[in-house]
């Protein structure tokens, strides 16, 4: 039994203004709007400029929460940033974000769990709040995958977009309906080679050769990943529902990682959910990795689809390979 309950107190998102459409991509690689739409569900995505690193996009998302007035920067006691496209290898993007927020010393760190990063971040923050160590934590998913994209590889360059989503988790008061009910995370490192950035780390440091061979960009075996994604996202959703005595029928909303519309549809079918209960924005933003779930969540709260008290399931899958789910009453 945990000492305290945890809830989502605020959620927001930010994306760059510049839009890259399928038609634009037709001019870059041998692809077509028709192929991209039918194979992925994507129509356009946002691209960050050179002057805007991940920390800046993250800050824009975070500022929107504070502008609403209820939560103030000084309330934040912990910052977790989920990203595979940090400003630097070190220091962490979380520390840079803390500086931008202008707040007193608090713990701030990054986590690397690919597209599942936001789910991992919420899971970590939940522990700290439940056991009473902190009352308020900021969890950000931010990604600028277009900065590590191989623009000659049509199998990957059509997929990714940039964006940030931020959530403030706080201790819930007794009797409140809002609650993060449960989280589930898992990983399978043996599949790590199916999705990675080969160079730039300690295994293959940057050299002229690694740059020439485009090894500082995303490598992905999309076909194999697809099959594992369908299974593991379905499993993550089923496990968390079953262990809480629930089924898909009980959910008001499903928000999955936005990697491919066919993966989203397969997960919804496994839960026997009608498409009306599934939040999808892949057509606007493509795959924004760790940012995709908080962006979709924030948009659905903002436009009034998700209301206080709704039962929501978050479900993700990504590099690692990692996967996980969060069950919550908003
Ligand atoms: N335009 C036109 N044709 C293309 C394109 C393109 N952009 N990309 C691939 N093709 C071609 C291939 O060359 C292949 O042609 P061939 O049959 O002549 O060899 C054909 O289309 C089929 O290729 P597949 O790779 O089998 O296509 P698939 O239907 O699997 O779709 C995709 C590819 C969209 C990448 C899909 O596999 C997918 O979504 N995979 C999962 C991605 C994912 O979930 N990643 C994890 C998260 S990302 C992260 O963590 C950073």
């Amino acid at each position: 039994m945990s000492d305290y309950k945890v809830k989502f107190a605020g959620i927001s998102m930010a994306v760059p203004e510049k839009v890259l459409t399928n038609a634009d991509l037709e001019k870059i690689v041998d692809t077509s709007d028709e192929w991209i739409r039918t194979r992925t569900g994507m129509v356009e995505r946002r691209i960050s400029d050179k002057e805007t690193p991940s920390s800046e996009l993250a800050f824009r998302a975070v500022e929107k929460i504070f502008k609403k007035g209820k939560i103030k920067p000084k309330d934040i006691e912990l910052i977790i940033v989920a990203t595979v496209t940090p400003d630097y290898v070190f220091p962490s993007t979380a520390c840079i974000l803390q500086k931008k927020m202008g707040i007193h010393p608090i713990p701030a760190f990054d986590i690397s769990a690919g597209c599942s990063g936001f789910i991992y971040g919420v899971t970590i923050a939940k522990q700290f709040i439940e056991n009473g160590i902190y009352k308020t934590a900021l969890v950000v998913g931010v990604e600028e995958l277009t900065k590590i994209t191989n623009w000659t590889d049509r199998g990957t360059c059509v997929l990714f977009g940039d964006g940030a989503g931020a959530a403030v988790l706080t201790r819930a008061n007794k009797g409140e309906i809002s609650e993060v009910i449960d989280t589930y995370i898992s990983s399978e490192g043996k599949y790590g080679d199916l999705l990675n950035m080969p160079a730039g780390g300690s295994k293959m440091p940057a050299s002229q050769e690694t740059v020439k061979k485009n090894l500082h960009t995303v490598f992905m075996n999309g076909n194999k990943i697809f099959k594992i994604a369908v299974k593991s996202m379905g499993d993550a959703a089923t496990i968390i529902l079953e262990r809480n005595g629930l089924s898909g029928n009980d959910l008001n909303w499903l928000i999955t990682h936005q990697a491919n519309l066919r993966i989203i549809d397969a997960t919804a079918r496994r839960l026997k959910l009608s498409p009306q209960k599934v939040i999808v924005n892949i057509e606007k933003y493509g795959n924004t990795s760790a940012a995709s779930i908080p962006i979709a969540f924030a948009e659905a709260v903002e436009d009034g689809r998700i209301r206080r008290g709704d039962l929501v399931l978050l479900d993700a899958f990504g590099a690692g390979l990692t996967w996980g789910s969060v069950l919550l009453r908003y």
Side-chain angles (χ1 to χ4, degrees):
M1 274 297 285
S2 42
D3 295 335
Y4 301 100
K5 289 206 308 180
V6 184
K7 67 168 183 179
F8 275 79
I11 182 139
S12 66
M13 53 79 80
V15 289
E17 277 171 25
K18 190 178 171 201
V19 175
L20 188 74
T21 65
N22 290 350
D24 295 327
L25 285 161
E26 285 176 351
K27 293 175 197 140
I28 300 173
V29 283
D30 179 17
T31 190
S32 66
D33 175 50
E34 208 266 332
W35 191 95
I36 302 171
R37 277 176 199 258
T38 53
R39 303 310 294 166
T40 71
M42 295 168 190
V43 178
E44 56 186 45
R45 64 289 290 147
R46 300 299 179 95
I47 306 282
S48 200
D49 56 34
K50 276 187 190 148
E51 290 72 39
T52 310
S54 290
S55 64
E56 185 55 31
L57 263 192
F59 184 56
R60 287 180 198 168
V62 171
E63 267 189 316
K64 287 187 188 168
I65 295 184
F66 298 134
K67 277 192 184 139
K68 286 183 187 149
K70 276 192 192 156
I71 304 154
K72 298 189 173 40
K74 69 172 176 46
D75 298 331
I76 304 296
E77 296 169 295
L78 168 71
I79 300 174
I80 301 172
V81 173
T83 186
V84 294
T85 48
D87 289 20
Y88 307 101
V89 173
F90 64 88
S92 72
T93 302
C95 285
I96 299 165
L97 180 61
Q98 183 204 3
K99 181 182 165 202
K100 285 180 195 272
M101 287 164 59
I103 52 172
H104 51 280
I106 54 166
F109 58 88
D110 289 359
I111 53 169
S112 171
C115 307
S116 313
F118 185 73
I119 303 290
Y120 271 65
V122 169
T123 303
I124 297 166
K126 180 173 180 277
Q127 311 304 312
F128 279 112
I129 298 171
E130 274 182 351
N131 63 24
I133 294 180
Y134 303 121
K135 277 190 190 158
T136 307
L138 175 66
V139 181
V140 179
V142 60
E143 221 73 87
E144 294 194 347
L145 282 178
T146 66
K147 293 194 176 159
I148 57 162
T149 291
N150 178 352
W151 294 102
T152 65
D153 175 14
R154 68 177 182 172
T156 55
C157 76
V158 302
L159 304 175
F160 304 123
D162 302 333
V168 172
L169 300 185
T170 60
R171 186 187 289 181
N173 294 320
K174 281 213 169 75
E176 266 192 273
I177 190 161
S178 301
E179 182 190 1
V180 179
I181 300 164
D182 196 6
T183 70
Y184 165 80
I185 49 175
S186 192
S187 62
E188 187 67 278
K190 72 179 180 191
Y191 296 128
D193 289 348
L194 297 178
L195 175 57
N196 66 12
M197 187 172 86
S202 57
K203 185 164 183 193
M204 201 189 294
S207 66
Q208 287 188 358
E209 203 189 342
T210 59
V211 173
K212 218 186 293 166
K213 287 184 174 165
N214 246 332
L215 297 176
H216 297 270
T217 58
V218 176
F219 163 82
M220 183 172 77
N221 183 330
N223 210 267
K224 282 200 176 140
I225 295 266
F226 187 97
K227 288 170 196 139
I228 303 169
V230 168
K231 179 170 183 330
S232 54
M233 288 224 314
D235 287 351
T238 310
I239 288 167
I240 203 165
L241 285 172
E242 281 179 358
R243 76 183 182 192
N244 286 281
L246 298 166
S247 74
N249 260 339
D250 299 301
L251 292 174
N252 296 103
W253 299 105
L254 171 69
I255 309 177
T256 73
H257 171 44
Q258 311 281 305
N260 189 311
L261 190 56
R262 291 180 289 140
I263 299 176
I264 300 171
D265 288 346
T267 308
R269 274 199 304 276
R270 182 151 163 205
L271 298 181
K272 300 190 173 63
L273 270 186
S274 72
Q276 286 74 26
K277 287 183 164 186
V278 186
I279 308 278
V280 178
N281 64 8
I282 194 169
E283 72 287 354
K284 288 194 289 187
Y285 305 124
N287 177 351
T288 57
S289 186
S292 86
I293 286 183
I295 288 175
F297 195 170
E299 280 196 328
V301 167
E302 196 64 35
D303 66 24
R305 274 175 294 169
I306 296 183
R307 296 166 188 217
R308 282 284 168 203
D310 281 356
L311 189 65
V312 182
L313 180 64
L314 314 180
D315 195 13
F317 165 87
L321 298 179
T322 58
W323 54 89
S325 51
V326 172
L327 182 67
L328 66 113
R329 236 175 235 294
Y330 181 64

